[in-house]
Each structure stands twice: as structure tokens, then as C-alpha cells.
Amino acid sequence: MTEKPATARRRSRWITIPLRIVVGFVLLSLLIVTLYRFVPPPVTLTMLMDPNGITKDWRSLDAIDPDMARAAIAAEDSRFCEHHGFDAVAIARAMRHNASGGRVQGGSTISQQTAKNVFLIQGGGFVRKGFEAWFTLLIEAIWGKRRIMEVYLNVAETGIGTYGVQAGAIRYFRHGAGKLTRSEAARIAAVLPLPKKRAAIAPGGFTRRYGNSIAARIGVVQRDGLDRCLR
């Protein structure tokens, strides 16, 4: 017995509609990522959802003191110039640490954080992680390391309602990101994981110690060429 035409059409729709959605998403994401290769992202979902407002001021990577990028590498992703978006070593280390208990650590790279900050929301669990992986692959392939770092330093939250290192530098030190000292860059990097709870001015306790540790590692990043992909 042949299948009824109406039933065949319904089955066809169950296949073609999801396929069209997937193809549309892929094409749209490629278009947006390619556009942001040349144009600064005007706003992010994180910014739009921030009840404290948005203070930001885009700066090119060349206009930001090199020690700021080195501080980000020292604090967030020492293998930034080596991996292709995902650091298997950092992920394995985080898994071992988390299995032993204590403060939970993540293994996200600067590339992953940039993908999340620009294209996604902060929550979302495994679903968001899947989209994050997709956008991480795209920006690594289309943007390259310099653009990833440039965008990261301009969209990362550096304080309450404050986004990017230029706005952060003005907020905390009353001058632009192009004039950051090594200590100031390290303090901003120390704030990045918890920007709503930490301050770069007169930091106390863990934030002060963490900032001092980052400042010491900035020299290592420069000496060992861990920032070579940005030069």
C-alpha cells in the first residue's frame, strides 16, 4: 500500500523545517561573526540585561597598553597563543581540581569567554556551552587571536555596569587603558572573574594577593613569548 500524500507531506515537514532552522542559524552566525571581524559589537546580551546600565568605550588593541593583554593571558589563559579555542590541559586540570572538592574552577579559554560574552547569555548550562563551542570555533577561524583579544578586552565586564578595559581604567584610575601601569593592568585582570564583587581600587584580601600574583606573571608572559600571537 502506498503512503498517503498528506502523511508524506507531514513527514517531509518534520525533516525540512528543523533542517532549515539549522541551516539558517549556521548562515546567520557566520554572517554576524564575519561582520564583527571588522565592526565592533555594538552591544551584548549581558550588557542589555544589566540593571546597572552600560558604560563602555571601544579601543583598538594597539591603543591598549600591551601589559593589559599580558595580564589577561597571565590570569585567564596562559596557553592563549597555543590552543585553537579549547585548552585540553586547562580543562583536565579543572576537572581534577573540582573532583577533589573546594572552590570550583573552570577551564574556559579567553576565546570561549569572548564567544560567550559577545553572542550568548551568562547562564544556560550545557545548552549554552554547546553554542559557546560553536561560536568559539567560528571566531578562532574567522577572527584570529589579535581580534579575539581586542574584542575580549572591550566587552569583558570590569565593574558594576562597566564594560571593557578603557571604561574600567577610567573608572578605577582616572586615565585611559593606553596608560595602564603593570600593577593597574593586573588589578583589572584580578577583577574580571567577579566584577560585581571585586574592585581594582584599594583591593583587599584575595583580590589584592591575586592582583600581585598576576603582576608578577606579566613579566613571565612577556619573557616567554606567551603573547607572541598578539605582536
Side-chain angles (χ1 to χ4, degrees):
M1 180 180 292
T2 59
E3 188 175 36
K4 293 181 179 180
T7 304
R9 285 195 298 270
R10 283 197 296 270
R11 288 188 177 181
S12 177
R13 282 199 297 271
W14 280 109
I15 296 174
T16 58
I17 291 176
L19 183 59
R20 288 176 180 176
I21 292 173
V22 171
V23 171
F25 168 75
V26 169
L27 293 177
L28 181 61
S29 58
L30 283 169
L31 176 63
I32 295 175
V33 171
T34 302
L35 178 65
Y36 286 172
R37 169 68 178 82
F38 306 99
V39 178
V43 71
T44 68
L45 292 174
T46 300
M47 295 176 189
L48 291 174
M49 296 170 66
D50 193 332
N52 302 293
I54 306 170
T55 300
K56 64 185 181 72
D57 191 358
W58 182 276
R59 285 293 184 273
S60 69
L61 189 61
D62 291 334
I64 299 171
D65 190 278
D67 276 340
M68 188 64 247
R70 294 177 187 131
I73 290 173
E76 301 290 321
D77 188 359
S78 63
R79 291 166 52 84
F80 175 70
C81 288
E82 299 178 31
H83 63 66
H84 298 287
F86 308 94
D87 188 351
V89 174
I91 293 172
R93 186 188 307 120
M95 291 177 65
R96 288 195 301 269
H97 174 85
N98 296 339
S100 65
R103 184 191 298 268
V104 176
Q105 290 184 354
S108 293
T109 64
I110 286 176
S111 301
Q112 289 174 271
Q113 293 178 49
T114 304
K116 176 187 66 177
N117 289 341
V118 174
F119 302 105
L120 305 168
I121 60 175
Q122 297 301 309
F126 288 108
V127 173
R128 194 218 69 203
K129 279 290 186 181
F131 285 109
E132 178 185 298
W134 166 248
F135 280 108
T136 299
L137 291 172
L138 288 187
I139 64 175
E140 280 280 340
I142 297 174
W143 290 3
K145 294 295 187 179
R146 278 186 59 85
R147 181 60 172 176
I148 290 172
M149 180 61 75
E150 182 175 65
V151 174
Y152 175 73
L153 294 180
N154 276 284
V155 303
E157 190 175 5
T158 51
I160 298 176
T162 307
Y163 294 86
V165 298
Q166 172 68 10
I170 293 174
R171 175 191 178 109
Y172 297 120
F173 309 118
R174 301 293 186 267
H175 61 71
K179 297 180 179 180
L180 287 170
T181 66
R182 181 164 290 186
S183 175
E184 290 170 345
R187 288 185 181 184
I188 291 178
V191 167
L192 290 176
L194 292 170
K196 287 183 170 61
K197 297 182 179 180
R198 298 177 183 174
I201 289 294
F206 173 80
T207 304
R208 183 184 68 254
R209 295 191 299 273
Y210 187 36
N212 292 339
S213 174
I214 294 170
R217 296 204 298 271
I218 288 175
V220 177
V221 171
Q222 183 176 16
R223 184 196 67 205
D224 293 351
L226 301 181
D227 63 336
R228 59 186 176 279
C229 58
L230 304 178
R231 300 175 184 175

